[in-house]
Amino acid sequence: MTRICIVGTGHVGLVYAVAFTLQGHTVVGTDVDAAAIASLRKGKPTFYEPGLSAALAKARRTKRLSFSTEIAAEASAAEVVFLAVGTPSREDGSIDTSYVESAARTVGEGMRAAKGYPVVAVKSTVIPGTTETVVRPALEAASGKAAGEGFGLCMNPEFLREGSAVEDALHPDRVVIGCLDKRSGDALARVYAKLRAKKLRTDLRTAEMVKYATNAFLATKVSFANELADLCDAFGGLDVDRVVEGMGLDARINPRFLKAGLGFGGSCFPKDVRALLAAGRASGYESALLRATLDVNDVQPRRAVALAEAAAGDLRGRRVAILGLSFKGGSDDIRESRAILLARALLEKGAVVVGYDPEASSAFHAVVPDVEIAPDAASALAQADVCIVHNDWPAWRRLKAKDFAGMRRKVVIDGRRILDRKAMQGVELRVLGG
Ligand SMILES: NC(=O)c1ccc[n+]([C@@H]2O[C@H](COP(=O)([O-])OP(=O)(O)OC[C@H]3O[C@@H](n4cnc5c(N)ncnc54)[C@H](O)[C@@H]3O)[C@@H](O)[C@H]2O)c1
């Protein structure tokens, strides 16, 4: 079993700290955020993720999981160090690698005193070449050792989905091991040895690109479904859900992520597509397809507002309820949530916006303070003129006409095409995408 140090205990790092512990390794999760580490030491996760609380409790009971802010010291004692810090978007769409670089420097300082051949694995999503040109020099400068001699280097892209992150980390469908040399790759392969997932070994840059290619493809699939919905709408008499159902039966296509609606948000898809586009541009390649993927996506919240206007008239002074504020059901993450764009567009129209989410209300309120937050769905809907169902919490699927009874005018926009249309008698239901 491997002695692991994870740097960054956010959505990826914490879930992996837990998953690796449950798989038998000895793990320390480290972060610069002292408040987060204090919370984790008490067994309290710093964000909502289904099953995470229980999994963290179980992992702590093994006594093989700890948390610390002493990153360099913990890294010096580890056999494999994972970098799982953020790589947020810059203004021009490119990624900010300063967190990865700074984490690599700290780990490098720790590795000065390390014995053997510790391996550093980059789990953060980074543009091809970053591990070689940013992480490696930072590690070498701080440790005084050469990669491939004093320490090993890997790139291990992460594919977990928020909302099912614990399951995904425990049972990934594939593990991509990008490695500088065989010795590094073997050390990382030992970490995943017990998993039945398919394992693919590549060089560092290919591993980096696999992650972007995956997210760009999935994002494009979503935008493709939205484009189809518009075409179906233009032709008239077509239900895009039936069309994509028929398409999805084709084994070459499969139905997942082929769903029309408000588009993709979250901490990964928009950021990763923008980053790939920006990196392509910096290398002299302008991707028309990725540009279109983003353009189609950006239009969707405005379409929902237009539907609301078409059904309810001028929105000035109207009360509009948004059900679901996180970027997807099963998560409290509001990063790049379409609800932010939606709420801002509605506020610009002069609407009074009230929102409710089972987990994300307060985080959302901090970002869009002009949105009133309701304590539950019924309160959000009370006296509302329009309701927009924004994300896909399972509770929304169970909504029936009587749940909208408290509305002043029962205009309901189904932004995710998840409401049971047969259960909506008496409701003015409009479904995004026709
Ligand atoms: N969230 C996802 O679903 C997901 C999925 C796959 C890949 N990724 C990628 O994984 C990376 C991490 O994403 P996340 O969602 O976990 O981010 P996050 O913002 O939830 O967590 C990042 C953590 O890193 C810590 N940190 C920042 N700088 C640090 C430093 N120098 N030393 C130690 N800790 C530091 C922060 O305090 C924070 O706790 C990103 O590159 C992201 O693109 C995310």
Side-chain angles (χ1 to χ4, degrees):
M1 286 305 165
T2 305
R3 203 178 157 80
I4 293 171
C5 171
I6 298 181
V7 185
T9 53
H11 289 76
V12 169
L14 175 58
V15 168
Y16 267 90
V18 168
F20 284 149
T21 306
L22 294 177
Q23 284 155 1
H25 304 293
T26 299
V27 183
V28 56
T30 65
D31 205 293
V32 287
D33 183 341
I37 293 298
S39 170
L40 295 172
R41 279 184 165 159
K42 287 187 207 131
K44 269 190 75 181
T46 40
F47 52 89
Y48 172 77
E49 185 61 40
L52 180 59
S53 237
L56 174 61
K58 190 171 169 195
R60 288 174 82 229
R61 283 197 295 276
T62 66
K63 308 278 183 221
R64 283 182 281 102
L65 174 62
S66 58
F67 294 98
S68 168
T69 52
E70 300 297 321
I71 302 169
E74 297 294 353
S76 82
E79 292 163 278
V80 177
V81 181
F82 287 91
L83 302 185
V85 301
T87 45
S89 276
R90 289 204 203 95
E91 205 43 28
D92 64 355
S94 65
I95 53 161
D96 179 352
T97 53
S98 61
Y99 301 95
V100 176
E101 190 175 357
S102 146
R105 254 196 320 267
T106 312
V107 168
E109 282 157 22
M111 286 192 334
R112 261 182 188 278
K115 297 195 176 60
Y117 195 72
V119 171
V120 178
V122 177
K123 228 181 209 316
S124 303
T125 301
V126 291
I127 284 293
T130 308
T131 303
E132 270 285 352
T133 61
V134 176
V135 176
R136 179 180 183 163
L139 287 167
E140 289 184 334
S143 67
K145 296 177 178 176
E149 290 173 20
F151 65 91
L153 193 55
C154 286
M155 202 285 149
N156 177 215
E158 183 44 49
F159 305 102
L160 64 73
R161 298 159 300 173
E162 288 181 25
S164 53
V166 177
E167 267 308 296
D168 289 351
L170 287 169
H171 310 288
D173 46 10
R174 85 277 211 199
V175 176
V176 176
I177 299 177
C179 47
L180 179 73
D181 56 8
K182 185 174 178 305
R183 201 171 164 198
S184 308
D186 288 350
L188 195 55
R190 278 195 293 278
V191 172
Y192 293 108
K194 272 193 177 170
L195 300 186
R196 286 167 56 187
K198 284 198 177 140
K199 288 156 200 141
L200 176 72
R201 279 223 201 177
T202 69
D203 58 24
L204 297 169
R205 287 165 65 92
T206 304
E208 291 166 326
M209 190 61 179
V210 169
K211 171 64 190 177
Y212 280 100
T214 302
N215 276 3
F217 181 76
L218 292 173
T220 302
K221 213 172 166 188
V222 174
S223 282
F224 184 81
N226 281 324
E227 188 88 353
L228 275 184
D230 290 339
L231 281 169
C232 288
D233 219 13
F235 297 154
L238 283 168
D239 177 352
V240 69
D241 290 338
R242 296 291 289 167
V243 174
V244 294
E245 189 185 343
M247 277 178 75
L249 293 172
D250 187 324
R252 293 169 303 177
I253 297 174
N254 105 34
R256 295 161 81 192
F257 287 83
L258 203 54
K259 186 117 174 80
L262 274 160
F264 54 81
S267 69
C268 288
F269 283 11
K271 165 173 88 84
D272 294 351
V273 178
R274 277 198 302 264
L276 196 52
L277 194 60
R281 190 172 298 139
S283 303
Y285 182 76
E286 190 66 40
S287 167
L289 184 63
L290 295 181
R291 181 71 267 154
T293 294
L294 290 176
D295 288 347
V296 169
N297 196 51
D298 286 344
V299 166
Q300 301 311 312
R302 276 182 266 142
R303 283 199 200 288
V305 175
L307 267 188
E309 279 177 317
D314 189 355
L315 295 178
R316 185 162 299 279
R318 297 293 175 84
R319 199 171 163 80
V320 181
I322 303 179
L323 290 189
L325 302 171
S326 59
F327 85 98
K328 73 192 279 198
S331 168
D332 63 353
D333 197 342
I334 59 149
R335 289 180 285 184
E336 306 240 11
S337 166
R338 302 283 94 186
I340 298 174
L341 297 184
L342 198 55
R344 289 190 176 141
L346 291 165
L347 290 166
E348 260 173 42
K349 298 269 178 194
V352 176
V353 185
V354 52
Y356 168 69
D357 189 284
E359 296 289 339
S361 289
S362 55
F364 189 84
H365 188 60
V367 174
V368 197
D370 292 336
V371 169
E372 226 178 87
I373 295 298
D376 50 47
S379 313
L381 293 171
Q383 295 304 309
D385 300 288
V386 176
C387 163
I388 303 179
V389 177
H390 160 261
N391 66 14
D392 58 353
W393 279 99
W396 311 154
R397 291 178 198 278
R398 297 192 290 271
L399 289 172
K400 300 195 168 44
K402 68 173 172 40
D403 297 306
F404 299 95
M407 291 177 72
R408 189 159 37 212
R409 179 158 179 201
K410 297 179 189 56
V411 172
V412 177
I413 315 290
D414 184 356
R416 293 291 169 192
R417 310 178 69 88
I418 55 173
L419 296 180
D420 178 355
R421 298 184 199 192
K422 288 194 213 81
M424 291 296 153
Q425 258 79 39
V427 166
E428 288 182 64
L429 181 66
R430 303 279 189 284
V431 182
L432 192 67

